[in-house]
Amino acid sequence: MSAGLGARLEPIVIPLCALVATLAVFGGFVALGGHDPLEVYYQMYRGAFGSWFSFKNTLLRASPLMLTALCTALPARLGLVIIGGEGALVMGGLASAVVGIALDGGSPFVVIAAMALAGFAVGGIWIALAGIMRIYRGVNETISSLLLTYIGIALLNHFVEGPLKDPASLNKPSTRHLADAYMLGPMPGLEVHWGLAFGVIACVVFWVLMMRTTFGFSASVVGGNLRAAKLAGLNVARLTIIACFLGGGAAGLAGMVEVSAVQGCANASLVAGYGYAGILVAFLARQNPIAVIPVALLLGGINASGGLLQRVFDLPDATVSVLQGILFIMILASESLYGKIPLFRPRAKAAEAAPKKLAEAV
Amino acid sequence: MGIPECSSVSGWAKTFLFSLLSIAAAGCSKSNASTEPAPAASDSAGAPAAAAAPASTALTVGFIYVGPKGDFGYNQAHAEGAKAVSAMPGVKIREEENVPETVAVQQTMESMINLDGAKLLFPTSFGYFDPHILKMAEKYPDVIFLHCGGLYTEGKHPKNVGSYFGYIDEAEYVSGIVAGLTTKSKKLGFIAAKPIPQVLRNINSFELGAKSVNPEATTTVIFTGDWSMPTKEAEAANSLIDQGVDVLTAHVDSPKVVIESAEKRGIFSTGYHASQASLAPKGYLTGAEWNWESVYKMYIDEVQKGEMAKGKEWKHLVRGGFKEGFIKMSPYGAPVSEDAKKKADAAKAGFMDGSLVIYKGPLKDNTGKELFKADETHPQTDIALESMNYLVEGVKGKVN
């Protein structure tokens, strides 16, 4: 096997092996619980991908995960671990509801665009705050983004139960409803709302940005070696804040989609855990924006099939969480295998190549 | 590491294309599914169809819960009702727990309808109604959606939707009587999620019950801010106990933590939603419980008789208290005195025959403002009580 092909296959084969190992371990759990693992896997397939109805279910569940995963994946290119997607989603959702209600009467296209912009901007600012604190005050961005989530949820509750409350929403405090004209409908012929398109487009755009532009290259230099990046004259503060803003913006956009395609108003139902699930997706995708798409579909599918597992086998809801947990651990553990499997890195060639490159560089 | 993922993408693209092809080939699977269970037949055949039906056409009923089925609270109360229903002849149930109030619940409803053939759904969380149930009800006019919360509006909501709720504050009033006659410190504690009308009504009724037998009894309220906040609930419980409260109760999704904290600290408690007696064998006095078993059996009876079939007129908004069998009390615990039992039973009898009214004048709120004049009475069915935004005199706490 040539070194090039090996290096290309490695990032596919290792996660696949992790997936297979996950299914084997999970199958063991299921068997211990007295169910036939193959039957369970068949039902999972049926619930997630087996028919158009099931696949639509998967797509709907995957679309917010694509956006919230980007909130972790983009800053991760600079070596930051941001876990505050939930807060950005909530703030973005709240902002878009405010804009949508304030602009009531405007043309639908303009209002929806303004809502999307507001969601993106406010979600972006939310995570940019974590970046700013990191750069200028040395505050750990993981902790600050998590704490910002609590603040975001508290702000949502405050506004929804106070100044922005629709007096008619007695027992479930909510903002006023958006007019029907401003609701994001399904994509033509798909029965899946536009959030999916937003998710896919955002993943592709951010992949191009991070993998094919100078900005993305600079970002990964910062992530690879901060001192080298500074020595090379990169504006680390600017890069960090922009990456955080874009990531948070994606999560804020997910909040806008929740408001305008699903809930129709902002209320506590926005806090549904998409932000946290997005962290899992980002890590499983190894922080690669384009890989976020299939991974989000996989997790969306697992979630979609969870219902069927409960109903057909009477398995507890936690079954799906167990599967996700095993998958997460397997993927993280498999990280340690990169570069250690001789099959992918024929030693002789690697050893030859290194000094040669070094010589060229000198 | 950028490029290689592309090939895994193409794998997904294949799945996607496959799915597209399969619908193209099979025609729209959705329309297949919705015509298959033949709703028209049951329409024309009317009542006897379901009753005489063989087991294969059993009525499939779906129950959806927002939290775990065994939460010692809101969801368990519904799951107990579902369990009773599953024992009825000609009924098959499907359950799903931990379903959030997002597109997930819409998918669960559709999945129950399309994959399990459910004709009757009980999506039980309050937040499922708008927009989720309304959206699905419009899409599936042959399926009946019954929602817990009393949100149905005639003329505005689809005809295949019904809503039910109970006057559980009657049971809180009775709990308050027991608490008022058990407390030594005359300080009762109430841990609640949010200051919304339903919750305020329970707090007020609890205090009014306690005050009716122990005029000096006060109820201190702590709002935790959300429906499921176990850590905050435990902190609130400990803080109230430190202030001298010796009977605790709660209105959150699961009162488990509150009841356990009370038991651990050696004080009394009264329950909510379902029975928490097993969590506090020493200190559990009684509790306000839902009696969904009786409500669900009533509904399924109606459906099996064909009374709720499409085109028929049925009551879309149903409410009730003790009298209608919507609520019940947990059996009295060991610490409850004979006197307390007697007075509590008398109050319950008063609700049964309609002679007891909780909200009547003269009544002030806890800022001293007059709520009702001396001759004013507001029976349980009074719609004004549904938008309650005050705490009555004797309750220590603030509606924000």
Side-chain angles (χ1 to χ4, degrees):
Chain A
M1 185 186 287
S2 80
L5 183 63
R8 278 186 178 208
L9 276 179
E10 194 178 32
I12 301 169
V13 174
I14 289 182
L16 275 183
C17 289
L19 188 61
V20 171
T22 305
L23 291 181
V25 174
F26 178 68
F29 271 99
V30 171
L32 278 179
H35 296 281
D36 176 5
L38 290 179
E39 185 62 23
V40 168
Y41 290 141
Y42 170 70
Q43 289 295 345
M44 289 189 74
Y45 170 77
R46 190 175 150 241
F49 307 106
S51 64
W52 170 239
F53 169 76
S54 304
F55 192 58
K56 194 188 76 186
N57 187 347
T58 297
L59 290 175
L60 275 171
R61 288 172 197 256
S63 53
L65 300 185
M66 289 178 195
L67 290 167
T68 53
L70 291 173
C71 184
T72 301
L74 284 192
R77 305 298 296 187
L78 294 98
L80 302 176
V81 182
I82 296 276
I83 59 171
E86 188 87 355
L89 181 149
V90 162
M91 291 307 290
L94 180 64
S96 66
V98 169
V99 168
I101 292 162
L103 296 184
D104 196 10
S107 91
F109 182 79
V110 173
V111 174
I112 290 175
M115 286 173 65
L117 273 179
F120 193 94
V122 173
I125 290 168
W126 205 244
I127 297 301
L129 285 177
I132 290 169
M133 283 192 277
R134 165 90 223 184
I135 292 296
Y136 295 106
R137 280 289 165 267
V139 180
N140 180 303
E141 77 285 354
T142 312
I143 305 294
S144 68
S145 64
L146 178 66
L147 296 180
L148 277 168
T149 294
Y150 297 137
I151 297 174
I153 294 172
L155 280 175
L156 171 81
N157 285 337
H158 170 74
F159 281 110
V160 160
E161 287 167 20
L164 294 176
K165 185 178 163 191
D166 177 358
S169 63
L170 287 174
N171 283 315
K172 188 185 180 191
S174 310
T175 62
R176 273 172 41 215
H177 265 263
L178 292 173
D180 280 348
Y182 307 142
M183 294 289 290
L184 269 186
M187 290 187 277
L190 272 185
E191 274 194 280
V192 176
H193 61 67
W194 279 98
L196 178 68
F198 288 6
V200 172
I201 292 169
C203 285
V204 172
V205 167
F206 286 153
W207 179 79
V208 171
L209 179 70
M210 296 322 266
M211 304 297 188
R212 291 285 180 271
T213 65
T214 326
F215 174 85
F217 182 71
S218 313
S220 51
V221 171
V222 174
N225 188 331
L226 186 59
R227 283 183 67 192
K230 283 184 173 160
L231 283 174
L234 290 175
N235 188 340
V236 174
R238 195 171 139 258
L239 285 167
T240 304
I241 294 167
I242 292 178
C244 286
F245 176 82
L246 293 176
L253 194 60
M256 176 267 178
V257 171
E258 272 304 289
V259 165
S260 65
V262 181
Q263 306 287 355
C265 60
N267 57 36
S269 298
L270 283 180
V271 189
Y274 289 136
Y276 296 115
I279 303 166
L280 182 62
V281 172
F283 272 86
L284 294 185
R286 307 189 71 225
Q287 320 292 3
N288 181 327
I290 207 85
V292 159
I293 299 174
V295 172
L297 284 171
L298 178 65
L299 284 199
I302 290 178
N303 287 331
S305 62
L308 211 56
L309 290 189
Q310 284 190 48
R311 303 198 313 266
V312 175
F313 299 104
D314 210 16
L315 284 163
D317 166 69
T319 315
V320 165
S321 313
V322 169
L323 176 59
Q324 286 183 359
I326 298 173
L327 184 62
F328 196 50
I329 290 169
M330 287 289 176
I331 297 268
L332 286 184
S334 73
E335 297 269 307
S336 65
L337 292 177
Y338 284 91
K340 300 236 170 84
I341 301 173
L343 188 65
F344 298 126
R345 301 273 150 99
R347 186 164 285 164
K349 282 190 181 166
E352 271 169 34
K356 213 189 272 174
K357 268 194 190 148
L358 200 63
E360 280 166 13
V362 173
Chain B
M1 74 193 213
I3 309 115
E5 279 85 351
C6 292
S7 44
S8 64
V9 172
S10 75
W12 288 99
K14 256 184 239 159
T15 320
F16 184 77
L17 282 178
F18 169 75
S19 305
L20 281 179
L21 280 175
S22 63
I23 38 158
C28 182
S29 59
K30 193 202 91 210
S31 63
N32 277 349
S34 59
T35 47
E36 176 201 22
S42 68
D43 270 353
S44 54
S56 62
T57 55
L59 176 70
T60 302
V61 187
F63 289 88
I64 307 171
Y65 316 108
V66 73
K69 279 189 276 182
D71 67 350
F72 285 97
Y74 186 88
N75 299 293
Q76 183 168 326
H78 286 289
E80 282 169 6
K83 207 172 160 216
V85 162
S86 70
M88 293 172 78
V91 176
K92 200 166 74 180
I93 71 162
R94 288 281 196 239
E95 296 177 275
E96 203 171 317
E97 59 179 351
N98 282 332
V99 181
E101 295 163 356
T102 60
V103 81
V105 68
Q106 298 181 17
Q107 293 303 309
T108 294
M109 287 188 259
E110 280 206 87
S111 184
M112 283 177 163
I113 295 166
N114 286 333
L115 301 182
D116 302 337
K119 303 302 286 170
L120 173 61
L121 291 181
F122 286 96
T124 57
S125 181
F126 191 84
Y128 288 161
F129 191 73
D130 186 8
H132 312 299
I133 289 180
L134 295 176
K135 214 166 167 183
M136 287 300 118
E138 256 167 45
K139 194 166 169 190
Y140 297 96
D142 298 320
V143 177
I144 299 170
F145 297 76
L146 296 173
H147 174 252
C148 177
L151 290 170
Y152 186 83
T153 311
E154 195 69 51
K156 185 175 155 201
H157 294 142
K159 279 284 176 200
N160 52 333
V161 173
S163 197
Y164 54 92
F165 205 65
Y167 300 120
I168 198 167
D169 64 310
E170 292 178 359
E172 285 290 358
Y173 186 89
V174 178
S175 288
I177 292 178
V178 176
L181 290 172
T182 311
T183 176
K184 303 260 175 348
S185 67
K186 296 178 180 132
K187 287 181 181 167
L188 316 177
F190 203 121
I191 294 163
K194 293 173 187 258
I196 56 171
Q198 255 170 41
V199 173
L200 297 174
R201 187 162 171 181
N202 279 334
I203 298 168
N204 289 335
S205 295
F206 183 77
E207 166 64 15
L208 289 172
K211 230 170 26 178
S212 73
V213 292
N214 187 344
E216 286 166 54
T218 59
T219 301
T220 309
V221 182
I222 294 183
F223 293 105
T224 58
D226 227 320
W227 293 105
S228 184
M229 300 234 123
T231 329
K232 271 196 179 173
E233 288 154 19
E235 280 166 9
N238 282 317
S239 129
L240 285 171
I241 298 166
D242 291 341
Q243 292 168 40
V245 162
D246 65 354
V247 184
L248 258 186
T249 191
H251 183 167
V252 292
D253 268 359
S254 167
K256 183 168 185 268
V257 172
V258 173
I259 306 290
E260 282 176 340
S261 304
E263 182 79 353
K264 208 159 63 191
R265 298 282 301 265
I267 65 154
F268 303 109
S269 55
T270 74
Y272 190 63
H273 288 315
S275 174
Q276 288 96 32
S278 62
L279 297 173
K282 286 199 206 111
Y284 193 78
L285 301 175
T286 182
E289 290 185 41
W290 298 106
N291 191 7
W292 296 133
E293 176 179 339
S294 106
V295 178
Y296 291 168
K297 281 184 166 168
M298 180 268 296
Y299 269 127
I300 287 176
D301 228 35
E302 296 284 295
V303 172
Q304 284 185 328
K305 276 193 260 166
E307 295 292 337
M308 288 163 75
K310 209 176 161 192
K312 287 220 176 185
E313 275 306 315
W314 49 278
K315 241 182 131 186
H316 293 269
L317 189 57
V318 185
R319 286 162 178 276
F322 279 117
K323 197 171 140 199
E324 294 81 4
F326 274 57
I327 54 169
K328 60 186 179 189
M329 302 300 300
S330 314
Y332 298 120
V336 181
S337 67
E338 281 312 312
D339 178 40
K341 283 183 194 170
K342 219 172 74 194
K343 288 190 170 132
D345 286 340
K348 208 177 134 185
F351 286 122
M352 292 294 280
D353 65 23
S355 61
L356 183 56
V357 176
I358 303 177
Y359 292 94
K360 55 178 192 247
L363 188 63
K364 283 189 200 149
D365 75 4
N366 66 356
T367 63
K369 209 179 91 197
E370 184 181 58
L371 292 170
F372 308 133
K373 294 195 181 66
D375 55 347
E376 243 181 291
T377 59
H378 295 270
Q380 287 295 73
T381 49
D382 189 340
I383 201 80
L385 297 177
E386 314 261 317
S387 48
M388 195 171 275
N389 59 357
Y390 47 81
L391 289 165
V392 299
E393 194 178 24
V395 179
K396 292 181 179 166
K398 240 170 69 185
V399 184
N400 301 327

